Amino acid sequence: MDRIRIHGQRRLAGEIPVSGAKNAALKLMAASLLTEEPLTLSNMPRLADVRAMGELLRSFGVGVTVSLGGGLGEGDQMRLAACNIQSAFASYDMVRKMRASFQVLAPLLARHGEAKVSLPGGCAIGARPVDLHLKALKALGAQVELADGYVLANAKGGLTGATIEFPFVSVGATETALMAATLAKGETVIENAAREPEIEDLARCLMAMGARIAGLGTSRLVVEGVKQLYGADYAVMHDRIEAGTYAIAAAIAGGEVELIGAKRQSNGALIDLLEKAGARVSDSNRGIAVHMNGARPRAVDCSTAPYPGFPTDLQAQFMALMCVADGSSVIKETIFENRFMHVPELARLGADIKVTGDVAVVRGVEKLRGAPVMATDLRASVSLVLAGLEAEGETIVNRVYHLDRGFDRLEQKLSQAGADIARIGE
Ligand code: EPU
């Protein structure tokens, strides 16, 4: 199995292109099931999760063709043609490996009238139930049963618009409700909808396919169901989590990096904290630029929250930065119950972190020291890469497959900006 080897203490300089967003791309791919006409997605990131979703869609009979983009900054193009849905079954094996597979449930149900999709089960970062997804589908008139670890959903007579009020914010459940409502009869109102930019991206793609949606970017989405959706061409939004990760890379390694395609607005909470920590973030005409002059970052507290708050998907990376900050910081994780799996691995690199419940207190040390490490999920893994950029000596990050799930050619992008990082075989 491949590993990533990093020799730390190199300043970063230059540009890093930001790829299309994993967490938008996967849902847009699922949305292709809503129409018999082809959906062509551009700016697609080259990721293991995207390939896995492609395989799942193929198993339903969807024609999936990919044309690879040129350089690092050019996304791939994917054409998805769900003319006939031949199967509406997503196995445990598939959904267990990639939770986003569960997002096929709503579009299969809305267009095909029935679906059998495995319950995802827990994962490395928490229990992650899907009760809100199922409540939303039931509110729209679906019959939903659970049997042998599977969700069996039926709406042969079609779905009917309704008001869905979520008790708390869920990205996935909002997307389920949104996709299902596009083909329901009449109006659906989604109250307390998640406002993550990836949801707006999904809504815009659905609108390009003929859906009628109002309230984009707000916590109240109103969908007027239509009889059918059509093919469209759509460019996936940039990956704000990838952009944020490289912004933190510049802050931890020091230097000056331009993140091509990044947008200040979608990373507001992070930029605010980076500036408090001593980085300078400026707008460039191609994205944003992050400068850190070599001084130690200042310690800043951080608490995760739904958008526009600080994203849980950047918590591990921000913690890596705080490990070398001047002073102590308090990092609170409010979205997932078990998202501190990177802590013992950061400690192997010399970090001083104490976790009590959902709070980590990080006492900054002057330097980290390289070591072999591994992590149990994508964002935790990349936090170890960031720590390795700062650490003295050699850091080896094992289980690279986590990184390949969600970071498009990470080692190439970082080495292009001056990092000493390479992928090595077993
Ligand atoms: N939740 C429930 N019931 C539900 C749905 C969610 O209790 O039916 C809980 C979850 O257990 C969690 C909270 O609600 O405690 C929020 O979960 P949410 O549904 O918002 O998350 P998600 O849709 O499962 C997406 C991203 C995650 C990201 C979260 C939060 C995708 C494929 N995944 O997950 O991304 O952390 O939103 O922003 O879009 C990642 O990319 O590494 C990743 C984990």
Side-chain angles (χ1 to χ4, degrees), residues 110-129:
R111 161 124 175 267
H112 186 67
E114 61 181 352
K116 180 175 178 182
V117 175
S118 172
L119 285 164
C123 81
I125 60 176
R128 303 183 77 180

PDB file of all heavy atoms in Angstrom, residues 110-129:
ATOM      1  N   ALA A 110     -37.511   9.021  -6.400  1.00  0.00           N
ATOM      2  CA  ALA A 110     -38.299  10.044  -7.085  1.00  0.00           C
ATOM      3  C   ALA A 110     -38.536   9.687  -8.548  1.00  0.00           C
ATOM      4  O   ALA A 110     -39.617   9.901  -9.078  1.00  0.00           O
ATOM      5  CB  ALA A 110     -37.583  11.392  -6.983  1.00  0.00           C
ATOM      6  N   ARG A 111     -37.545   9.120  -9.198  1.00  0.00           N
ATOM      7  CA  ARG A 111     -37.711   8.858 -10.638  1.00  0.00           C
ATOM      8  C   ARG A 111     -38.207   7.443 -10.897  1.00  0.00           C
ATOM      9  O   ARG A 111     -39.056   7.217 -11.768  1.00  0.00           O
ATOM     10  CB  ARG A 111     -36.364   9.087 -11.353  1.00  0.00           C
ATOM     11  CG  ARG A 111     -36.258   8.441 -12.712  1.00  0.00           C
ATOM     12  CD  ARG A 111     -35.908   9.374 -13.831  1.00  0.00           C
ATOM     13  NE  ARG A 111     -35.720   8.608 -15.057  1.00  0.00           N
ATOM     14  CZ  ARG A 111     -34.555   8.165 -15.472  1.00  0.00           C
ATOM     15  NH1 ARG A 111     -33.454   8.457 -14.773  1.00  0.00           N
ATOM     16  NH2 ARG A 111     -34.472   7.454 -16.585  1.00  0.00           N
ATOM     17  N   HIS A 112     -37.679   6.472 -10.152  1.00  0.00           N
ATOM     18  CA  HIS A 112     -37.917   5.059 -10.440  1.00  0.00           C
ATOM     19  C   HIS A 112     -39.082   4.506  -9.608  1.00  0.00           C
ATOM     20  O   HIS A 112     -39.621   3.447  -9.918  1.00  0.00           O
ATOM     21  CB  HIS A 112     -36.618   4.305 -10.121  1.00  0.00           C
ATOM     22  CG  HIS A 112     -36.605   2.875 -10.479  1.00  0.00           C
ATOM     23  ND1 HIS A 112     -36.643   2.422 -11.775  1.00  0.00           N
ATOM     24  CD2 HIS A 112     -36.535   1.772  -9.694  1.00  0.00           C
ATOM     25  CE1 HIS A 112     -36.598   1.106 -11.774  1.00  0.00           C
ATOM     26  NE2 HIS A 112     -36.538   0.684 -10.528  1.00  0.00           N
ATOM     27  N   GLY A 113     -39.422   5.196  -8.520  1.00  0.00           N
ATOM     28  CA  GLY A 113     -40.566   4.779  -7.700  1.00  0.00           C
ATOM     29  C   GLY A 113     -40.227   3.810  -6.587  1.00  0.00           C
ATOM     30  O   GLY A 113     -41.042   3.574  -5.702  1.00  0.00           O
ATOM     31  N   GLU A 114     -39.034   3.244  -6.627  1.00  0.00           N
ATOM     32  CA  GLU A 114     -38.634   2.371  -5.517  1.00  0.00           C
ATOM     33  C   GLU A 114     -37.113   2.256  -5.471  1.00  0.00           C
ATOM     34  O   GLU A 114     -36.435   2.486  -6.472  1.00  0.00           O
ATOM     35  CB  GLU A 114     -39.256   0.981  -5.649  1.00  0.00           C
ATOM     36  CG  GLU A 114     -38.844   0.275  -6.903  1.00  0.00           C
ATOM     37  CD  GLU A 114     -39.495  -1.101  -7.039  1.00  0.00           C
ATOM     38  OE1 GLU A 114     -40.147  -1.562  -6.079  1.00  0.00           O
ATOM     39  OE2 GLU A 114     -39.333  -1.698  -8.107  1.00  0.00           O
ATOM     40  N   ALA A 115     -36.621   1.875  -4.305  1.00  0.00           N
ATOM     41  CA  ALA A 115     -35.174   1.690  -4.156  1.00  0.00           C
ATOM     42  C   ALA A 115     -34.903   0.848  -2.929  1.00  0.00           C
ATOM     43  O   ALA A 115     -35.673   0.855  -1.963  1.00  0.00           O
ATOM     44  CB  ALA A 115     -34.476   3.040  -4.017  1.00  0.00           C
ATOM     45  N   LYS A 116     -33.797   0.102  -3.006  1.00  0.00           N
ATOM     46  CA  LYS A 116     -33.332  -0.646  -1.847  1.00  0.00           C
ATOM     47  C   LYS A 116     -31.878  -0.252  -1.629  1.00  0.00           C
ATOM     48  O   LYS A 116     -31.003  -0.555  -2.445  1.00  0.00           O
ATOM     49  CB  LYS A 116     -33.452  -2.157  -2.113  1.00  0.00           C
ATOM     50  CG  LYS A 116     -32.979  -3.002  -0.946  1.00  0.00           C
ATOM     51  CD  LYS A 116     -33.243  -4.486  -1.205  1.00  0.00           C
ATOM     52  CE  LYS A 116     -32.715  -5.316  -0.036  1.00  0.00           C
ATOM     53  NZ  LYS A 116     -32.900  -6.751  -0.232  1.00  0.00           N
ATOM     54  N   VAL A 117     -31.644   0.463  -0.554  1.00  0.00           N
ATOM     55  CA  VAL A 117     -30.310   1.026  -0.306  1.00  0.00           C
ATOM     56  C   VAL A 117     -29.882   0.636   1.104  1.00  0.00           C
ATOM     57  O   VAL A 117     -30.640   0.802   2.059  1.00  0.00           O
ATOM     58  CB  VAL A 117     -30.337   2.567  -0.472  1.00  0.00           C
ATOM     59  CG1 VAL A 117     -28.991   3.175  -0.107  1.00  0.00           C
ATOM     60  CG2 VAL A 117     -30.717   2.948  -1.901  1.00  0.00           C
ATOM     61  N   SER A 118     -28.675   0.150   1.225  1.00  0.00           N
ATOM     62  CA  SER A 118     -28.187  -0.277   2.535  1.00  0.00           C
ATOM     63  C   SER A 118     -28.105   0.891   3.512  1.00  0.00           C
ATOM     64  O   SER A 118     -27.765   2.013   3.120  1.00  0.00           O
ATOM     65  CB  SER A 118     -26.798  -0.888   2.381  1.00  0.00           C
ATOM     66  OG  SER A 118     -26.244  -1.143   3.640  1.00  0.00           O
ATOM     67  N   LEU A 119     -28.391   0.630   4.772  1.00  0.00           N
ATOM     68  CA  LEU A 119     -28.100   1.617   5.814  1.00  0.00           C
ATOM     69  C   LEU A 119     -26.580   1.713   5.909  1.00  0.00           C
ATOM     70  O   LEU A 119     -25.896   0.688   5.886  1.00  0.00           O
ATOM     71  CB  LEU A 119     -28.677   1.146   7.151  1.00  0.00           C
ATOM     72  CG  LEU A 119     -30.188   1.267   7.300  1.00  0.00           C
ATOM     73  CD1 LEU A 119     -30.667   0.419   8.475  1.00  0.00           C
ATOM     74  CD2 LEU A 119     -30.585   2.721   7.499  1.00  0.00           C
ATOM     75  N   PRO A 120     -26.035   2.907   6.059  1.00  0.00           N
ATOM     76  CA  PRO A 120     -24.573   3.021   6.051  1.00  0.00           C
ATOM     77  C   PRO A 120     -23.883   2.471   7.294  1.00  0.00           C
ATOM     78  O   PRO A 120     -22.734   2.072   7.230  1.00  0.00           O
ATOM     79  CB  PRO A 120     -24.320   4.528   5.940  1.00  0.00           C
ATOM     80  CG  PRO A 120     -25.632   5.201   5.881  1.00  0.00           C
ATOM     81  CD  PRO A 120     -26.719   4.213   6.085  1.00  0.00           C
ATOM     82  N   GLY A 121     -24.565   2.466   8.420  1.00  0.00           N
ATOM     83  CA  GLY A 121     -23.883   2.085   9.665  1.00  0.00           C
ATOM     84  C   GLY A 121     -23.016   3.241  10.152  1.00  0.00           C
ATOM     85  O   GLY A 121     -23.000   4.307   9.536  1.00  0.00           O
ATOM     86  N   GLY A 122     -22.288   3.016  11.243  1.00  0.00           N
ATOM     87  CA  GLY A 122     -21.450   4.096  11.799  1.00  0.00           C
ATOM     88  C   GLY A 122     -20.191   4.245  10.971  1.00  0.00           C
ATOM     89  O   GLY A 122     -19.966   3.504  10.020  1.00  0.00           O
ATOM     90  N   CYS A 123     -19.370   5.227  11.318  1.00  0.00           N
ATOM     91  CA  CYS A 123     -18.080   5.323  10.640  1.00  0.00           C
ATOM     92  C   CYS A 123     -17.057   5.899  11.595  1.00  0.00           C
ATOM     93  O   CYS A 123     -17.369   6.152  12.756  1.00  0.00           O
ATOM     94  CB  CYS A 123     -18.187   6.120   9.339  1.00  0.00           C
ATOM     95  SG  CYS A 123     -18.174   7.872   9.574  1.00  0.00           S
ATOM     96  N   ALA A 124     -15.856   6.120  11.110  1.00  0.00           N
ATOM     97  CA  ALA A 124     -14.744   6.501  11.993  1.00  0.00           C
ATOM     98  C   ALA A 124     -15.006   7.784  12.772  1.00  0.00           C
ATOM     99  O   ALA A 124     -14.437   7.991  13.833  1.00  0.00           O
ATOM    100  CB  ALA A 124     -13.475   6.650  11.157  1.00  0.00           C
ATOM    101  N   ILE A 125     -15.888   8.650  12.256  1.00  0.00           N
ATOM    102  CA  ILE A 125     -16.049   9.936  12.958  1.00  0.00           C
ATOM    103  C   ILE A 125     -17.318  10.022  13.801  1.00  0.00           C
ATOM    104  O   ILE A 125     -17.531  11.008  14.487  1.00  0.00           O
ATOM    105  CB  ILE A 125     -15.978  11.130  11.974  1.00  0.00           C
ATOM    106  CG1 ILE A 125     -17.067  11.063  10.906  1.00  0.00           C
ATOM    107  CG2 ILE A 125     -14.602  11.228  11.349  1.00  0.00           C
ATOM    108  CD1 ILE A 125     -17.082  12.275   9.968  1.00  0.00           C
ATOM    109  N   GLY A 126     -18.173   8.996  13.755  1.00  0.00           N
ATOM    110  CA  GLY A 126     -19.367   9.052  14.598  1.00  0.00           C
ATOM    111  C   GLY A 126     -20.433   8.067  14.152  1.00  0.00           C
ATOM    112  O   GLY A 126     -20.243   7.329  13.187  1.00  0.00           O
ATOM    113  N   ALA A 127     -21.561   8.082  14.862  1.00  0.00           N
ATOM    114  CA  ALA A 127     -22.646   7.126  14.581  1.00  0.00           C
ATOM    115  C   ALA A 127     -23.333   7.442  13.254  1.00  0.00           C
ATOM    116  O   ALA A 127     -23.679   6.561  12.483  1.00  0.00           O
ATOM    117  CB  ALA A 127     -23.659   7.165  15.714  1.00  0.00           C
ATOM    118  N   ARG A 128     -23.524   8.693  12.979  1.00  0.00           N
ATOM    119  CA  ARG A 128     -24.068   9.188  11.713  1.00  0.00           C
ATOM    120  C   ARG A 128     -25.345   8.476  11.253  1.00  0.00           C
ATOM    121  O   ARG A 128     -25.364   7.810  10.209  1.00  0.00           O
ATOM    122  CB  ARG A 128     -22.998   9.150  10.614  1.00  0.00           C
ATOM    123  CG  ARG A 128     -21.771   9.949  10.997  1.00  0.00           C
ATOM    124  CD  ARG A 128     -20.748   9.996   9.910  1.00  0.00           C
ATOM    125  NE  ARG A 128     -21.084  10.916   8.837  1.00  0.00           N
ATOM    126  CZ  ARG A 128     -20.324  11.112   7.766  1.00  0.00           C
ATOM    127  NH1 ARG A 128     -19.202  10.438   7.643  1.00  0.00           N
ATOM    128  NH2 ARG A 128     -20.686  11.953   6.836  1.00  0.00           N
ATOM    129  N   PRO A 129     -26.426   8.623  12.028  1.00  0.00           N
ATOM    130  CA  PRO A 129     -27.692   8.013  11.606  1.00  0.00           C
ATOM    131  C   PRO A 129     -28.274   8.692  10.358  1.00  0.00           C
ATOM    132  O   PRO A 129     -27.789   9.750   9.951  1.00  0.00           O
ATOM    133  CB  PRO A 129     -28.616   8.243  12.814  1.00  0.00           C
ATOM    134  CG  PRO A 129     -27.993   9.309  13.622  1.00  0.00           C
ATOM    135  CD  PRO A 129     -26.531   9.345  13.296  1.00  0.00           C
TER     136      PRO A 129
END
